């Protein structure tokens, strides 16, 4: 998978996501050399040189207006722990915007991944863990991922399958995100609960 952030730019523009979600100070977890760019704020990259993305240990709680991560969560050793810290560094009302590869379109329902040996988890909008012998490293978005986010006081605003440029006629041995400009990803957007002021 290469330059997934850049490839999805037109989708974010068409959905008005820059103005809706990428305003103020932001963090791009796993940015690599494809850093998110927004006309409405500043984005700080966080990658291996900054530290372990499971913890974001150099970042204080409530620092950012938005946290963006494109195709990084599937590389984390502990998905709930990573999400806990990604939510932790958000200000109340802040936005968590994540994209992950879709298990059906990208992985073609093969595991481990044939296209990226470092993928530690798979994600799906349809396939359930029960259907995969309760494989603990598989996350159905609604059944597994959203409950984690809710436990972190995150309210899910959007879930969408993005398959722009995907050709279902190609062989499943082809990584369409590499040799073709396809997107085969799931987008999850959530907002952090506002703090309740006691009386």
């Amino acid at each position: 998978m290469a330059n997934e952030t850049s490839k999805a730019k037109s989708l974010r523009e068409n959905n008005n996501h820059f103005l809706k979600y990428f305003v103020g100070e932001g963090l791009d977890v796993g940015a690599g050399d494809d850093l998110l760019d927004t006309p409405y704020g500043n984005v700080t990259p966080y990658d291996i040189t900054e530290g372990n993305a499971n913890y974001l240990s150099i970042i204080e709680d409530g620092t950012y207006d938005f946290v963006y991560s494109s195709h990084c969560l599937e590389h984390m050793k502990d998905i709930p722990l990573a999400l806990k810290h990604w939510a932790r560094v958000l200000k109340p009302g802040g936005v968590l915007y994540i994209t992950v590869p879709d298990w059906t379109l990208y992985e073609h329902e093969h595991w481990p991944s044939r296209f990226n040996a470092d993928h530690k988890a798979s994600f799906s909008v349809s396939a359930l863990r029960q259907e995969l012998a309760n494989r603990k490293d598989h996350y159905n978005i609604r059944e597994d991922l959203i409950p984690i986010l809710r436990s972190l006081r995150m309210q899910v605003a959007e879930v969408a399958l993005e398959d722009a440029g995907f050709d279902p006629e190609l062989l499943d041995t082809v990584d369409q995100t590499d040799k073709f400009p396809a997107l085969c990803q799931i987008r999850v957007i959530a907002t952090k609960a506002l703090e309740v002021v006691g009386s």
Side-chain angles (χ1 to χ4, degrees), residues 1-2 4 7 105-106 108 113-116 166 170-182 184:
M1 297 182 137
E4 302 304 303
K7 286 195 289 187
L105 294 181
Y106 178 69
H108 298 288
S113 173
R114 293 179 295 182
F115 304 134
N116 193 317
F166 180 79
L170 289 177
L171 295 173
D172 65 7
T173 54
V174 175
D175 178 357
Q176 294 196 38
T177 68
D178 182 28
K179 303 190 183 305
F180 301 86
C184 304

Side-chain angles (χ1 to χ4, degrees), residues 7-25:
K7 286 195 289 187
K9 182 178 180 181
S10 61
L11 286 176
R12 292 192 298 272
E13 289 174 336
N14 292 342
N15 289 308
N16 199 29
H17 283 182
F18 287 103
L19 188 55
K20 286 175 69 175
Y21 301 121
F22 302 127
V23 177
E25 295 297 318

